[in-house]
Amino acid sequence: MGALGDVPIPHVGVSGHMITVENLVKEFSVAGGIKVAVDDISFELEVGEFFTLLGPSGCGKTTTLRSIAGLEKPTAGVISIDGRMVFDHRVLVPANKRGLGMVFQSYAVWPHMTVYDNVAFPLQVADERLRRSEMKTLVNEALELVDLGGLGDRAATMLSGGQQQRLSLARALVAKPKLLLLDEPLSNLDAKLRDRMRSELRVIQKQIGITTLFVTHDQVEALSMSDRVAVMNSGRLEQVGNPQEVYHDPVSAFVADFIGGANMFEGIVEAIEPDGSAVLRTDIGKILGRGLPGLAVGHAAVASIHLEDVVLTPDAATEVDRSNVFDGMVSLGLFNGPSVVYRVSVGDHVVEAQVGGHDTFEINASVAVVFPKRHIRILPRGEAERSAVDDAEMA
Ligand SMILES: Nc1ncnc2c1ncn2[C@@H]1O[C@H](COP(=O)(O)OP(=O)(O)OP(=O)(O)O)[C@@H](O)[C@H]1O
Ligand SMILES: [Mg+2]
């Protein structure tokens, strides 16, 4: 075996990718034409990674997940799982041969079965010859993993919502898949339970090190659980990055807006400084911030700053750097314990600022509102923003 071409293809892709999606497109025929649900997206998941598709309703998250699962036949593109091509224009590996576990939004357990039988069922279907003792070991391991050990004999319907959710997870994991696909698995749970399940799910995922593709429209869920987040908009990927990157360094107004918790001011770029910072002319005045490469004078753009980065001071005269300082008046304060969120009128705008719970301002007090330049992003308002607006108007 001398030539490089003779080297056998390793089981896991050379790059260590568990999933590779290249130029995936999925179109649906709908009354009156074609709906492009997934519009030429590419991404990959590292082995062991927790990767989240995040985006508004209808942006194509489920369609992407179902394409990877083999439940949807893509229009175009290439999908590989664990170094093996499962879809391209000649290949279509069926869902049950892709070696993955899935949990859906409606995590429906089978009500006429016991907890044990719910988990055993996928094994029975997959392999009729599996010995009873082996099956018992696998099922009990899966139930232990999700903390349902000892409840095997109970009717599945006699479990709480959170337990049923864990049961569906055990069912997805029992055959020891190398890949776990989760489509909004927590959305049927009440807020408190959802919170707890987030950390439980993440702990289980880390414990067994399973590569996980998670789908949600909840940005807090995405940020708190993921190694990396892909923000989707109208069938496209707007940004892929770790939670800190998509939160602190959004690449577009859409991402900043969707991730949330930011004040946004629309305007026109007036100048680009040699250091890359940009000056945006807005309704409240000029805002100076970090501009993205590609931004040019005359572009429509948005200045974005997180609530916790806004500084409120009683007196503007104390500010040494006069840029991004605005006169405001406090109109409302919402104390939540660790912090207070103030609404401050600046011209015709309302600025929201989150300050420590010990910093208090009187209603109607005059304050200086400061946007530290390093925390301001000047972001392009692209095609995607406009189409998102169009969609919202059509809905
Ligand atoms: N079988 C189908 N036939 C026609 N259109 C479809 C079909 N499935 C999905 N779509 C459309 O494709 C787009 C993407 O749908 P998808 O279910 O992937 O969105 P999603 O991001 O999962 O949304 P949600 O957060 O609401 O679950 C939507 O406009 C949807 O209406
Ligand atoms: Mg969906």
Side-chain angles (χ1 to χ4, degrees), residues 28-30 35-37 55-64 72 105 183-184 215 217:
F28 291 108
S29 318
V30 289
K35 165 78 199 173
V36 184
S57 184
C59 72
K61 305 179 296 292
T62 295
T63 306
T64 304
E72 207 75 77
Q105 180 171 356
D183 192 350
E184 312 246 11
V215 160
H217 62 267

Side-chain angles (χ1 to χ4, degrees), residues 22-97:
E22 291 166 79
N23 306 106
L24 181 68
V25 176
K26 176 62 186 176
E27 299 171 349
F28 291 108
S29 318
V30 289
I34 298 275
K35 165 78 199 173
V36 184
V38 177
D39 190 2
D40 193 10
I41 66 171
S42 303
F43 59 95
E44 65 279 325
L45 269 69
E46 307 290 330
V47 174
E49 188 174 31
F50 194 111
F51 187 96
T52 298
L53 291 174
L54 170 70
S57 184
C59 72
K61 305 179 296 292
T62 295
T63 306
T64 304
L65 194 90
R66 286 173 55 84
S67 299
I68 292 169
L71 300 171
E72 207 75 77
K73 184 175 180 232
T75 308
V78 181
I79 301 173
S80 303
I81 297 176
D82 199 12
R84 170 182 174 221
M85 193 180 292
V86 294
F87 174 78
D88 80 346
H89 62 283
R90 297 154 303 173
V91 179
L92 183 63
V93 175
N96 62 352
K97 296 279 187 287

